[in-house]
């Protein structure tokens, strides 16, 4: 897998971890009294099987690890040589090459269209001859 695909996959992983982390924190956060005008919120249900205080630490650790892996992938990207001017020159070269290839393709397309017209004319002549049952001279 190329490095760009790895970066895209890592961004997707980070997004998934972030959504799960925020969702879990929202789901498991204890209720808070917003103002003295509101009644005291009910206590959160307690379960002996799960320790909710460890989850934020584990999830944030996974998120940090994923971010570090992303940073490592970014540093593995090849550096552009010569800076911005060299990149602009290379872009201009590629555009010129693209124009030349485009012109060649246009010429080939025109030649193919001319050939198609010739073949269609010959086909029409052959079809007319067959339908009219003309005897060749």
């Amino acid at each position: 897998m190329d490095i760009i695909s790895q970066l895209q996959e890592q961004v997707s992983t980070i997004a998934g971890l972030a959504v799960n982390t925020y969702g879990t924190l929202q789901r498991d956060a204890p209720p808070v009294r917003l103002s003295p005008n509101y009644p005291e919120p009910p206590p959160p249900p307690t379960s002996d099987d799960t320790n909710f205080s460890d989850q934020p630490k584990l999830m944030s650790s996974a998120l940090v690890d994923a971010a570090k892996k992303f940073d490592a992938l970014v540093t593995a990207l090849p550096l552009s040589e010569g800076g911005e001017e060299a990149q602009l020159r290379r872009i201009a070269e590629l555009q010129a090459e693209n124009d030349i290839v485009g012109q060649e393709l246009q010429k080939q397309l025109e030649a193919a269209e001319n050939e198609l017209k010739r073949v269609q004319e010959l086909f029409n002549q052959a079809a007319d001859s067959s339908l009219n049952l003309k005897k060749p001279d």
Side-chain angles (χ1 to χ4, degrees), residues 45-72:
T46 57
S47 173
D48 296 333
D49 297 339
T50 56
N51 187 357
F52 293 119
S53 64
D54 290 342
Q55 281 185 337
K57 292 176 186 174
L58 294 173
M59 295 180 122
S60 62
S61 174
L63 198 56
V64 168
D65 290 342
K68 285 180 181 179
K69 185 175 179 184
F70 180 83
D71 288 341

Side-chain angles (χ1 to χ4, degrees), residues 46-119:
T46 57
S47 173
D48 296 333
D49 297 339
T50 56
N51 187 357
F52 293 119
S53 64
D54 290 342
Q55 281 185 337
K57 292 176 186 174
L58 294 173
M59 295 180 122
S60 62
S61 174
L63 198 56
V64 168
D65 290 342
K68 285 180 181 179
K69 185 175 179 184
F70 180 83
D71 288 341
L73 288 170
V74 168
T75 57
L77 284 171
L79 297 175
S80 62
E81 297 175 9
E84 186 176 345
E85 290 179 16
Q87 289 177 355
L88 292 174
R89 276 194 308 272
R90 180 67 179 143
I91 289 171
E93 291 170 4
L94 290 172
Q95 286 176 337
E97 184 181 330
N98 187 35
D99 290 342
I100 292 169
V101 170
Q103 291 171 357
E104 288 178 23
L105 287 174
Q106 185 62 36
K107 289 177 185 176
Q108 290 178 2
L109 177 63
E110 290 170 3
E113 287 173 347
N114 291 335
E115 185 70 22
L116 177 62
K117 285 179 186 176
R118 279 188 47 227
V119 169

